[in-house]
Amino acid sequence: MEKRPLGLTGLDIAPIVFGGNVLGWTIDEKTGFDVLDAFVDHGFNAIDTADVYSTWAPGNKGGESETIIGRWLRARPGMRERVHIFTKVGWDLGVPGKKGLSRKWILQAAEDSLSRLGIERIDLYFSHRPDPETPCEETLAAFDQLRKEGKVRAIGASNFDAAQMEHALDVARRNDLPAYQVVQPEYNLYDRASYDGALRDLCLREGLGVVTYYSLASGFLSGKYRTESDLSQSQRGKGIGKYLNPRGMAILAALDRVARAHDATDAEVALAWLIARQGVTAPIASATRRAHVESFARAAALCLSDEEIRMLEMAGQPE
């Protein structure tokens, strides 16, 4: 599978990143191993997770996803050399002191993640969210220390807007500190405001990599959820109800039309649109069974015409 350069990180990745938020939440370890095997077998090579995954599931405390990935890597000799591991720090783990982007917490959190993952270096370490209580200089200095120690290769920022990214890049330049090289915004055919516009322009100007999350709008863009009664199909149903409106239905209608023309699924078309989007390196997408990974491979190979892309974008224009 053709790889793409991830900004200026030196990493080359396939055009879809595995979303590890499902590990230890909607799929158990055994199923997770099977899905990750299929992901690599199809030529994909980047896995995204976070220390906070999945605190929201009953009985979980965080670190479950990283732990499953670590066990999978240990059970597959040679696999570490085949995949790039992304993880994040900064979200509230629900324990005093275990949140934010202070130097103290970043250094401890990195060690915790490395231990759970069973690896010596994180390929791409994200600030999971902005931390208004910690100076950017302190955060970047902590990342600088981790890079010099060989524990982190590249750094990125998730949930930062254009102004926050611009400030972070300026701080890095003024203080001779490592700059964020990748952004991770929420972005899909429905939710476009956080990337389109100023952030996209900044990423293109600075050569930043872009990996999008909620790439299928929590599953809405799969086309499986069209009525309130459909929401009970998934544990994620509660977060999908907001899309059941005229604009959402118009987007699904456009996806249906393009999907029929390619004998594809709505999800494959939605991912193909993202893959073709200006500045986007790769969307993050979660899979809970092998069939989903097979669908990812079809999406990565799907070429949409300019007319189809325009039709999808017009249907998804914010009101």
Side-chain angles (χ1 to χ4, degrees):
M1 183 176 293
E2 185 176 353
K3 306 298 191 295
R4 296 174 163 193
L6 182 56
L8 304 176
T9 64
L11 303 172
D12 293 322
I13 65 171
I16 293 178
V17 176
F18 183 86
N21 61 318
V22 295
L23 299 170
W25 174 32
T26 56
I27 57 175
D28 59 18
E29 182 172 305
K30 180 180 178 182
T31 304
F33 279 25
D34 188 52
V35 172
L36 287 169
D37 286 344
F39 189 73
V40 175
D41 288 346
H42 278 82
F44 298 106
N45 70 333
I47 299 168
D48 178 84
T49 185
D51 58 1
V52 75
Y53 298 165
S54 48
T55 55
W56 54 84
N60 284 0
K61 60 182 181 180
E64 289 80 13
S65 175
E66 291 180 330
T67 297
I68 289 174
I69 292 168
R71 290 173 178 164
W72 173 71
L73 289 172
R74 286 191 290 274
R76 307 287 189 272
M79 185 62 75
R80 179 67 185 101
E81 288 69 39
R82 300 176 62 186
V83 295
H84 300 308
I85 303 297
F86 308 166
T87 193
K88 312 180 194 75
V89 59
W91 211 274
D92 189 350
L93 293 181
V95 177
K98 293 190 174 184
K99 68 175 182 178
L101 298 173
S102 69
R103 177 183 180 278
K104 179 180 179 181
W105 174 231
I106 287 174
L107 297 181
Q108 180 184 336
E111 295 293 345
D112 294 346
S113 288
L114 287 166
S115 177
R116 286 189 292 264
L117 290 163
I119 59 179
E120 296 182 354
R121 181 173 69 170
I122 296 165
D123 296 306
L124 176 56
Y125 202 25
F126 283 97
S127 292
H128 204 161
R129 64 194 304 182
D131 176 7
E133 298 181 3
T134 301
C136 190
E137 293 91 333
E138 179 179 339
T139 297
L140 295 179
F143 285 132
D144 188 34
Q145 180 175 336
L146 290 171
R147 290 184 63 190
K148 289 176 178 176
E149 292 174 351
K151 296 174 181 177
V152 167
R153 176 169 178 173
I155 60 173
S158 181
N159 296 298
F160 279 49
D161 62 25
Q164 290 163 335
M165 279 300 300
E166 189 82 66
H167 173 68
L169 293 175
D170 287 343
V171 168
R173 292 188 185 105
R174 290 198 310 267
N175 295 278
D176 193 25
L177 291 168
Y180 291 125
Q181 299 160 296
V182 182
V183 298
Q184 187 178 122
E186 177 180 359
Y187 190 55
N188 55 61
L189 263 172
Y190 189 105
D191 302 297
R192 296 169 57 180
S194 63
Y195 175 69
D196 281 348
L199 183 58
R200 178 192 62 207
D201 295 344
L202 174 64
C203 292
L204 292 171
R205 184 173 71 247
E206 299 288 344
L208 303 177
V210 178
V211 291
T212 63
Y213 75 89
Y214 283 171
S215 303
L216 292 176
S218 298
F220 172 71
L221 298 176
S222 69
K224 295 189 299 182
Y225 308 92
R226 296 173 188 260
T227 67
E228 291 287 339
S229 61
D230 292 333
L231 301 182
S232 62
Q233 296 180 45
S234 168
Q235 296 182 51
R236 307 176 77 175
K238 291 181 180 179
I240 298 173
K242 64 182 179 180
Y243 298 112
L244 299 180
N245 55 47
R247 181 166 169 256
M249 293 303 104
I251 292 172
L252 290 187
L255 284 170
D256 290 344
R257 182 176 173 184
V258 176
R260 285 194 297 271
H262 290 273
D263 191 23
T265 67
D266 284 9
E268 289 161 9
V269 173
L271 290 174
W273 177 81
L274 276 172
I275 292 169
R277 196 69 177 149
Q278 186 180 32
V280 172
T281 311
I284 299 168
S286 299
T288 57
R289 55 183 185 269
R290 279 181 171 263
H292 292 158
V293 177
E294 294 164 2
S295 182
F296 292 170
R298 291 191 293 271
L302 180 57
C303 294
L304 303 178
S305 70
D306 291 342
E307 181 180 353
E308 289 169 335
I309 290 173
R310 281 194 297 271
M311 181 174 65
L312 291 168
E313 291 173 1
M314 290 302 294
Q317 285 291 334
E319 297 175 350

